[in-house]
Amino acid sequence: MPTPKQVLCAWVDAFNRHDADAIVSLYHDAAVNHQVANDPVVGIDAIREMFTAEFAEAGMTCIVENIFEDGQWAILEWRAPLGLRGCGFFHVVNGKILFQRGYWDKLSFLKQHGLPIE
């Protein structure tokens, strides 16, 4: 069974390929992805829709600065090519992501990608 760090490394690879199906394969069926700037997204179908829409909207790349592992948790500190920085916490149970929480500045993201400000 993969470690939380191995799951997170596979997640980063799939994210950088903009491969929503590969990303979703790393989640439990009832997983929750809560990017704190947005409402929580519950279930793999909703998570697939979220990533599909986000990849179509903006060219996103995750540059890993640090990955830490502590028990069932993997923690990612990242930056984007345009300078945005953030971190993510991934609770990995039985080799699948059960819960994810991400922290980043949504206003900066929208401005950097020329997207409408909400």
Side-chain angles (χ1 to χ4, degrees):
M1 184 167 316
T3 67
K5 184 175 181 177
Q6 290 169 330
V7 171
L8 182 49
C9 288
W11 185 93
V12 170
D13 289 342
F15 183 91
N16 286 340
R17 290 192 317 270
H18 295 178
D19 187 340
D21 290 330
I23 288 174
V24 168
S25 74
L26 300 170
Y27 288 87
H28 278 275
D29 289 346
V32 175
N33 183 320
H34 185 196
Q35 302 303 302
V36 297
N38 301 320
D39 292 330
V41 177
V42 180
I44 58 172
D45 292 335
I47 291 170
R48 177 183 287 107
E49 288 176 23
M50 176 193 73
F51 280 114
T52 300
E54 289 177 352
F55 291 150
E57 187 175 59
M60 298 182 294
T61 301
C62 176
I63 300 167
V64 174
E65 295 206 325
N66 289 296
I67 294 179
F68 304 97
E69 183 179 79
D70 185 14
Q72 293 184 322
W73 288 86
I75 300 102
L76 168 66
E77 183 181 20
W78 57 267
R79 67 182 167 87
L82 297 176
L84 186 66
R85 293 179 179 275
C87 61
F89 296 81
F90 296 74
H91 186 200
V92 179
V93 177
N94 296 323
K96 298 276 187 175
I97 301 164
L98 182 60
F99 180 77
Q100 175 185 352
R101 179 173 292 128
Y103 298 90
W104 46 276
D105 179 6
K106 187 172 185 175
L107 181 59
S108 294
F109 175 84
L110 294 172
K111 286 180 177 179
Q112 287 174 350
H113 291 278
L115 298 170
I117 306 297
E118 297 175 350

